[in-house]
């Protein structure tokens, strides 16, 4: 740990990259990134393990009143990042919003004209104001482009079955609705939401090898979803 950040190197780097290679996603969204070196190290190591994928990365400026940022990794032979936007128009320090959302827009090499948009969000802990959270989520959705394939993902700090998502559930669906995506028994905080019409091929929570102490690398367990486009 140096200057308030945990470096992505050594066994931590190896395990994170091996998890990504094993699950084989086209895009990876990350939160609470302290330094650009972290994503650069991950990207370089991924390209050593799987050079044909030609991974690239992009990191935002800080997402709140600390040094943490967000970012994306993607396979550049299949996908192009067209823009990344820190949505810092939301009032800072409101309890239901822990960090500013980040919106990444991507184009697909094999399907010109079709775009994919991922909004990476981090809601506050211990939210007890469902109406405010529902309004906040409604505000997030207004930033998406009509006609794109949309994903609302990240750390929601509450279950997808809670009242916070009553409005969203009318037209969107979560990748997981039970199980653990946070390193605590029976807690589901992290998730990926998509519109109901998007065909889901598979969705899961990453289960590390029992010999790997995942908490050494993150206090969250990744959530994955594969969709048909």
């Amino acid at each position: 740990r140096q200057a308030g950040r945990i470096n992505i190197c050594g066994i931590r780097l190896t395990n994170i990259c091996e998890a990504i290679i094993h699950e084989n996603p086209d895009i990876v969204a990350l939160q609470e990134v302290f330094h650009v070196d972290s994503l650069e190290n991950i990207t370089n190591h991924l390209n050593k393990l799987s050079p044909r994928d030609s991974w690239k990365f992009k990191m935002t400026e800080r997402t709140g009143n600390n040094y943490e940022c967000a970012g994306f990794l993607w396979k550049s032979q299949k996908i192009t990042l067209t823009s990344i936007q820190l949505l810092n128009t939301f009032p800072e320090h409101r309890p239901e919003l822990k960090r500013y959302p980040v919106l990444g827009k991507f184009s697909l090499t094999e399907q010109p004209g079709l775009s994919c948009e991922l909004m990476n969000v981090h809601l506050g802990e211990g939210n007890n104001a469902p109406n405010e959270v529902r309004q906040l989520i409604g505000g997030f959705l207004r930033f998406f482009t009509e006609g794109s394939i949309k994903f609302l993902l990240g750390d929601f700090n509450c279950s997808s079955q809670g009242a916070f998502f009553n409005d969203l559930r009318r037209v969107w669906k979560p990748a997981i609705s039970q199980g653990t995506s946070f390193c605590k028994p029976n807690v589901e905080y992290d998730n990926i939401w998509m519109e109901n019409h998007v065909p889901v091929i598979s969705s899961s929570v990453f289960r590390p090898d029992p010999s790997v102490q995942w908490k050494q690398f993150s206090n969250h367990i990744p959530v994955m979803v594969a969709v048909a486009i």
Side-chain angles (χ1 to χ4, degrees), residues 8-20:
I8 303 294
C9 59
I11 189 64
R12 189 166 190 253
L13 172 66
T14 300
N15 279 277
I16 290 173
C17 290
E18 286 181 351
I20 292 174

Side-chain angles (χ1 to χ4, degrees), residues 73-123:
L73 305 168
W74 67 94
K75 294 177 179 176
S76 64
Q77 93 283 10
K78 300 177 68 174
I79 294 167
T80 300
L81 176 71
T82 57
S83 69
I84 186 169
Q85 181 183 6
L86 181 68
L87 304 180
N88 55 5
T89 56
F90 293 94
E92 200 171 4
H93 308 303
R94 56 188 297 177
E96 63 271 20
L97 181 63
K98 193 164 187 179
R99 293 173 179 86
Y100 291 135
V102 175
L103 178 62
K105 298 185 179 183
F106 299 84
S107 61
L108 310 180
T109 302
E110 296 180 356
Q111 294 176 271
L114 183 61
S115 63
C116 175
E117 300 183 358
L118 286 74
M119 186 178 296
N120 198 348
V121 307
H122 194 163
L123 298 186

Side-chain angles (χ1 to χ4, degrees), residues 11-12 15-16 183 206 208-221:
I11 189 64
R12 189 166 190 253
N15 279 277
I16 290 173
C183 289
F206 174 66
D209 186 288
S211 65
V212 176
Q213 296 296 315
W214 185 258
K215 288 184 182 180
Q216 296 177 17
F217 315 114
S218 175
N219 64 344
H220 293 256
I221 301 177

Side-chain angles (χ1 to χ4, degrees), residues 8 18 52 65 79 85 88 93 134 149 161 174 177-178 183 196 198 204:
I8 303 294
E18 286 181 351
R52 60 183 170 79
N65 58 346
I79 294 167
Q85 181 183 6
N88 55 5
H93 308 303
R134 285 200 297 268
I149 306 298
Q161 304 306 302
S177 57
Q178 57 185 350
C183 289
N196 286 334
V198 177
S204 60

Side-chain angles (χ1 to χ4, degrees), residues 3-200:
R5 67 176 187 269
I6 301 174
N7 290 330
I8 303 294
C9 59
I11 189 64
R12 189 166 190 253
L13 172 66
T14 300
N15 279 277
I16 290 173
C17 290
E18 286 181 351
I20 292 174
I21 294 295
H22 179 268
E23 298 299 331
N24 195 31
D26 294 326
I27 305 175
V28 180
L30 303 102
Q31 293 186 355
E32 300 182 24
V33 181
F34 282 94
H35 197 271
V36 68
D37 289 351
S38 299
L39 291 191
E40 187 172 23
N41 288 345
I42 291 174
T43 303
N44 290 340
H45 198 67
L46 285 172
N47 285 325
K48 289 179 181 178
L49 294 173
S50 184
R52 60 183 170 79
D53 289 329
S54 188
W55 286 91
K56 290 187 177 181
F57 78 94
K58 184 70 174 180
M59 189 168 122
T60 67
E61 56 188 295
R62 71 181 185 89
T63 53
N65 58 346
N66 50 42
Y67 296 103
E68 295 176 357
C69 301
F72 295 101
L73 305 168
W74 67 94
K75 294 177 179 176
S76 64
Q77 93 283 10
K78 300 177 68 174
I79 294 167
T80 300
L81 176 71
T82 57
S83 69
I84 186 169
Q85 181 183 6
L86 181 68
L87 304 180
N88 55 5
T89 56
F90 293 94
E92 200 171 4
H93 308 303
R94 56 188 297 177
E96 63 271 20
L97 181 63
K98 193 164 187 179
R99 293 173 179 86
Y100 291 135
V102 175
L103 178 62
K105 298 185 179 183
F106 299 84
S107 61
L108 310 180
T109 302
E110 296 180 356
Q111 294 176 271
L114 183 61
S115 63
C116 175
E117 300 183 358
L118 286 74
M119 186 178 296
N120 198 348
V121 307
H122 194 163
L123 298 186
E125 298 173 354
N127 280 314
N128 56 7
N131 289 333
E132 285 76 4
V133 175
R134 285 200 297 268
Q135 292 173 8
L136 186 63
I137 292 173
F140 295 161
L141 300 185
R142 287 193 286 271
F143 284 88
F144 284 115
T145 304
E146 185 68 29
S148 66
I149 306 298
K150 310 172 185 67
F151 298 92
L152 182 68
L153 54 88
D155 181 1
F156 296 94
N157 269 308
C158 52
S159 168
S160 62
Q161 304 306 302
F164 303 95
F165 300 106
N166 285 349
D167 295 337
L168 188 65
R169 274 195 300 267
R170 296 191 180 108
V171 289
W172 290 58
K173 59 190 174 186
I176 59 170
S177 57
Q178 57 185 350
T180 301
S181 58
F182 187 76
C183 289
K184 293 180 180 179
N186 303 316
V187 176
E188 173 223 318
Y189 282 167
D190 305 278
N191 218 323
I192 302 172
W193 289 78
M194 67 227 80
E195 291 178 297
N196 286 334
H197 65 81
V198 177
V200 174

